[in-house]
């Protein structure tokens, strides 16, 4: 096998294990029901996101040989500014992306920009949606997957592969497990482009920090709009 391809199956396997890990972590719901924690559904995303982040940090800790030193490397402030602007504007970029998706698949997705989502942030679960989940996903898919792919592959190919793997966890994979599941590929499609932006930020800034900021504000704007 070509040496440049060795990291690809490893990256795919790691993503599969990540996905399995997410589903296994979700089994805390069964424990909550067993111990009579009847209000667990009110904090579902908060608990799930916290457990996912802990799992990723444990993984990163051992991958880095039990060291968290320079976990978020210093970079120029301009990259954080770019990340902020791109995170806020990505929701608007999705309009032409949806036009293309609708043209290709004969769907009718569109965004109505009402900007009425601020009340959603009163829900404690939003902490997970805009903080814990983005941090965990960026550390895994950018700082681990993309970082390792970049060492053996062309940088553009590494970004594209990492973005596809990132999008894969947002794919309708449950359709393969549950007959009742009727999800589509819309979120997978959009997430590819978000992953590419995040990947470019990671490559150019040489730090995971801007990628996390981009992902956080991307999620914030999704809820606001």
């Amino acid at each position: 096998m070509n040496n440049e391809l060795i990291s690809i199956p490893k990256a795919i396997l790691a993503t599969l294990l990540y996905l399995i890990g997410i589903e296994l972590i979700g089994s805390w719901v069964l424990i909550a029901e067993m111990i009579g924690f009847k209000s667990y559904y009110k904090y579902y995303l908060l608990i799930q996101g916290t457990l996912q982040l802990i799992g990723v940090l444990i993984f990163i800790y051992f991958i880095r040989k039990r060291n968290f030193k320079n976990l978020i490397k210093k970079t120029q402030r301009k990259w954080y500014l770019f990340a902020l602007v791109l995170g806020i504007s990505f929701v608007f970029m999705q309009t032409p992306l949806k036009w293309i998706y609708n043209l290709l698949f004969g769907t009718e997705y569109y965004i109505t920009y009402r900007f009425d989502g601020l009340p959603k942030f009163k829900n404690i679960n939003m902490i997970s949606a805009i903080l814990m989940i983005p941090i965990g996903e960026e550390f895994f898919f950018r700082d681990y997957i993309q970082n390792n792919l970049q060492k053996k592959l062309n940088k553009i190919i590494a970004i594209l592969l990492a973005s596809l793997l990132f999008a894969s966890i947002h794919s309708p994979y449950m359709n393969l497990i549950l007959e009742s599941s009727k999800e589509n590929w819309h979120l997978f499609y959009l997430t590819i482009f978000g992953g590419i932006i995040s990947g470019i930020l990671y490559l150019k800034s040489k730090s995971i920090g801007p990628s996390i900021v981009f992902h956080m504000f991307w999620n914030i704007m999704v809820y606001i709009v």
Side-chain angles (χ1 to χ4, degrees):
M1 181 183 288
N2 189 313
N3 288 335
E4 290 188 345
L5 299 180
I6 292 176
S7 59
I8 296 177
K10 288 182 179 179
I12 294 172
L13 178 59
T15 302
L16 179 60
L17 292 176
Y18 178 92
L19 193 56
I20 293 173
I22 290 176
E23 296 300 328
L24 290 176
I25 286 173
S27 63
W28 68 266
V29 171
L30 300 177
I31 298 175
E33 292 180 344
M34 289 175 59
I35 64 176
F37 181 42
K38 298 181 180 180
S39 299
Y40 71 86
Y41 62 90
K42 295 181 181 179
Y43 309 100
Y44 174 78
L45 190 59
L46 178 64
I47 297 173
Q48 181 71 15
T50 300
L51 293 176
Q52 286 180 207
L53 178 57
I54 291 173
V56 169
L57 290 178
I58 291 173
F59 174 77
I60 295 296
Y61 178 73
F62 284 102
I63 287 295
R64 293 169 62 93
K65 298 180 180 179
R66 301 184 181 184
N67 182 15
F68 274 150
K69 187 177 180 180
N70 295 322
L71 191 60
I72 299 180
K73 297 178 181 178
K74 293 182 179 180
T75 188
Q76 294 177 300
R77 293 180 181 178
K78 69 176 183 179
W79 295 115
Y80 283 100
L81 179 59
F82 287 152
L84 175 64
V85 172
L86 288 169
I88 292 173
S89 60
F90 184 60
V91 70
F92 303 103
M93 299 179 198
Q94 290 181 26
T95 292
L97 291 176
K98 287 176 184 286
W99 292 341
I100 297 172
Y101 184 89
N102 290 336
L103 182 63
L104 292 174
F105 300 100
T107 53
E108 296 182 356
Y109 283 103
Y110 64 93
I111 300 176
T112 302
Y113 296 101
R114 294 190 295 265
F115 298 97
D116 57 356
L118 286 176
K120 296 177 183 177
F121 291 88
K122 295 179 181 179
N123 189 325
I124 194 171
N125 286 290
M126 289 296 99
I127 296 175
S128 181
I130 66 176
L131 184 64
M132 296 169 185
I133 291 177
I135 291 175
E137 290 182 349
E138 290 305 314
F139 268 116
F140 185 82
F141 288 100
R142 246 56 66 182
D143 204 40
Y144 174 65
I145 296 292
Q146 181 177 321
N147 183 44
N148 281 289
L149 289 174
Q150 287 177 181
K151 294 176 181 177
K152 294 188 176 182
L153 302 172
N154 174 277
K155 300 296 189 294
I156 295 176
I157 294 176
I159 290 173
L160 291 175
L161 282 174
S163 299
L164 284 170
L165 292 175
F166 169 59
S168 71
I169 69 169
H170 300 87
S171 68
Y173 62 87
M174 289 304 296
N175 291 355
L176 301 174
I177 303 172
L178 301 175
E179 292 185 4
S180 59
S181 179
K182 303 296 181 181
E183 298 179 357
N184 56 46
W185 294 88
H186 179 245
L187 182 58
F188 170 84
Y189 165 80
L190 291 177
T191 308
I192 291 175
F193 296 97
I196 290 173
I197 293 174
S198 186
I200 293 173
L201 284 169
Y202 178 72
L203 175 67
K204 293 296 185 179
S205 68
K206 297 180 175 60
S207 172
I208 194 62
S211 296
I212 292 174
V213 170
F214 164 73
H215 199 153
M216 287 172 58
F217 279 89
W218 168 11
N219 284 12
I220 288 172
M221 289 302 297
V222 166
Y223 286 104
I224 290 178
V225 171

